[in-house]
């Protein structure tokens, strides 16, 4: 199984923030978690607001906890609000079921970690995560899973 290294995680957060700046997005915060849900890297743009680290981590943690990307997580949360209210409570409030949480899969399609991005719209947050995973993770066989059909 591929292990998500600190070196790769740091490159991912740097690429996410750079992508947001290049696109003119609001200041972003990016978190990369390993498959066990531990923060490997977290970075904030200058001017990123107070709760962004918790939100980015919650997006990343939620997709790991449920095993599918943030887009699918958001759709299911909309269809089953009672279930997701309970799931968020069971997760001690650490799950944020919206786009911007992206699973990281290896070449064998196994989950090796996740990325969470917060600061702009959830769609724009996701764009930055996917672009960074393509640029940094692609050559390593890593790919983004947003939960989109």
């Amino acid at each position: 199984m591929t292990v998500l290294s600190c070196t790769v995680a740091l490159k991912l957060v740097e690429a996410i923030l750079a992508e947001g700046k290049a696109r003119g997005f609001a200041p972003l915060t990016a978190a990369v978690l390993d498959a066990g849900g531990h923060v490997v890297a977290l970075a904030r743009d200058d001017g990123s607001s107070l709760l962004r680290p918790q939100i980015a981590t919650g997006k990343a943690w939620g997709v790991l906890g449920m095993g599918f990307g943030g887009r699918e997580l958001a759709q299911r949360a909309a269809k089953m609000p009672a279930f997701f209210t309970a799931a968020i409570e069971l997760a001690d409030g650490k799950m944020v079921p919206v786009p911007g949480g992206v699973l990281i899969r290896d070449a064998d399609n196994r989950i090796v970690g996740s990325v969470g991005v917060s600061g702009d719209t959830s769609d724009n947050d996701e764009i930055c995560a996917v672009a960074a995973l393509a640029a940094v993770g692609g050559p390593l066989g890593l790919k983004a899973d947003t939960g989109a059909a």
Side-chain angles (χ1 to χ4, degrees):
M1 179 173 177
T2 306
V3 175
L4 185 63
S5 72
C6 182
T7 300
V8 170
L10 289 169
K11 288 179 182 176
L12 282 170
V13 294
E14 289 173 359
I16 290 165
L17 299 185
E19 185 72 20
K21 285 179 188 165
R23 291 176 176 268
F25 292 166
L28 300 177
T29 297
V32 177
L33 280 57
D34 65 16
H38 302 98
V39 175
V40 180
L42 187 138
R44 305 174 62 221
D45 271 330
D46 293 340
S48 184
S49 60
L50 181 65
L51 287 176
R52 295 302 174 183
Q54 292 89 334
I55 296 168
T57 302
K59 287 182 179 186
W61 204 85
V63 299
L64 275 177
M66 296 302 290
F68 42 82
R71 206 153 279 284
E72 176 70 15
L73 200 63
Q75 291 171 3
R76 290 188 188 197
K79 290 178 185 174
M80 302 180 292
F83 173 82
F84 275 86
T85 297
I88 291 166
E89 179 68 26
L90 291 170
D92 294 326
K94 293 188 282 187
M95 184 189 309
V96 180
V98 297
V102 178
L103 291 171
I104 304 171
R105 293 189 180 269
D106 68 10
D108 294 321
N109 213 35
R110 292 178 293 214
I111 297 169
V112 296
S114 65
V115 174
V117 182
S118 180
D120 204 278
T121 66
S122 291
D123 289 339
N124 287 345
D125 295 342
E126 181 183 275
I127 286 168
C128 294
V130 170
L133 275 161
V136 173
L140 303 172
L142 302 177
K143 57 188 176 225
D145 177 355
T146 64

